[in-house]
Amino acid sequence: MSGWPEWFGFRLGRLLRVFRPATPTAISSPTTSTEWDSEPTSSNFGVFALSEAEMAERKIIVSTIGELELPTGEIVACDPLITGLERPVFSRKVKPGRYPVTLLEARSYVAAAVLRFGPGLPVSWELATFTRNGGSTWKSGFMVDDAVASFMDKSVLTLMSDLEELDGYLADVACSFDRFRMDNPVEGNPLNIAMFSTGWGDGIYYSFWGLDAAGEPLVLMTDFEVLEDADGRGSDQAN
């Protein structure tokens, strides 16, 4: 658990407790944020304010699995084994760079996948929408049909000579790991891809941007619906 404060920029002690919500629930958003009345949300935003002891109490394990190369800052999230469909790109871009990928695990399942872009606690949250070819915005999650998901830079999609070669590579990697894997499609090229199992398995999963006071992204979280109210202890599915 020692990696949680180090990677996520938390200052434990009094400062943390000043800014942590009283209970592990969603951090409220200002009126300028996404209208949650008609769009998907998550009850787990408060997990980022939990201390190491609170994470341990809730039996939530935090694992940083590597750093993702984002040379364009355009992030793709998809089931890598679904072929013949558009692999969606998030509408919001981030500053190009290398960013840590962290998994939150509870009850031996991957509960959430997180990209961290800066230190500190988000002050607001918004649904991460996708951009379709042609520029339209897609307010939805992404479909998982094989119990595995991935993060990658948009440039990975054009790294190989044809779509079939990319599909074959993604299938090979997706079928060769247990809970997660970081892999480089081309030897000697820093471009990589993060793959991880998805909660209870197949479904449609939503991602959320955690924003700072200036509206810039601090985290991107995909919630695989294992946790509830940032709590890993109680669920009918756990029995």
Side-chain angles (χ1 to χ4, degrees):
M1 296 297 295
S2 61
W4 181 252
E6 177 182 355
W7 282 112
F8 284 81
F10 291 138
R11 294 177 58 189
L12 300 180
R14 184 173 185 275
L15 179 62
L16 177 62
R17 298 193 177 279
V18 167
F19 290 99
R20 186 168 64 249
T23 57
T25 56
I27 298 172
S28 60
S29 301
T31 56
T32 56
S33 298
T34 304
E35 292 295 334
W36 296 110
D37 295 358
S38 58
E39 294 182 355
T41 187
S42 168
S43 68
N44 295 313
F45 300 144
V47 74
F48 294 96
L50 299 179
S51 68
E52 286 184 278
E54 289 166 324
M55 298 287 280
E57 179 191 5
R58 289 158 173 78
K59 299 180 180 179
I60 301 172
I61 298 172
V62 182
S63 303
T64 299
I65 64 173
E67 291 189 327
L68 187 67
E69 288 278 352
L70 295 175
T72 71
E74 296 183 79
I75 304 168
V76 174
C78 66
D79 177 342
L81 290 170
I82 295 180
T83 61
L85 295 175
E86 175 185 352
R87 291 188 169 98
V89 180
F90 287 117
S91 305
R92 181 186 280 272
K93 299 179 183 180
V94 299
K95 182 179 178 180
R98 290 175 57 92
Y99 299 104
V101 181
T102 302
L103 303 182
L104 308 185
E105 299 175 83
R107 310 182 204 108
S108 300
Y109 295 95
V110 176
V114 179
L115 273 167
R116 165 66 72 164
F117 309 107
L121 290 175
V123 299
S124 63
W125 292 84
E126 69 177 26
L127 177 67
T129 60
F130 294 101
T131 299
R132 294 183 183 274
N133 290 335
S136 61
T137 299
W138 175 18
K139 293 186 177 181
S140 180
F142 61 91
M143 182 173 65
V144 170
D145 198 36
D146 302 283
V148 60
S150 60
F151 288 151
M152 68 186 89
D153 189 84
K154 180 181 178 181
S155 58
V156 171
L157 302 181
T158 57
L159 184 62
M160 297 184 177
S161 58
D162 59 60
L163 183 58
E164 288 186 5
E165 184 180 3
L166 176 63
D167 288 342
Y169 157 74
L170 293 175
D172 287 345
V173 177
C175 294
S176 65
F177 70 87
D178 180 15
R179 291 163 25 252
F180 62 84
R181 181 171 171 181
M182 299 287 293
D183 197 82
N184 295 77
V186 176
E187 186 176 356
N189 189 315
L191 270 177
N192 59 358
I193 181 170
M195 292 191 191
F196 28 83
S197 57
T198 56
W200 309 118
D202 301 343
I204 295 178
Y205 295 107
Y206 297 89
S207 304
F208 304 90
W209 296 104
L211 308 176
D212 65 15
E216 295 299 320
L218 291 178
V219 299
L220 173 67
M221 176 184 74
T222 299
D223 190 343
F224 296 124
E225 302 174 2
V226 173
L227 302 177
E228 185 175 352
D229 295 328
D231 198 323
R233 290 172 294 184
S235 170
D236 292 338
Q237 289 178 282
N239 299 324

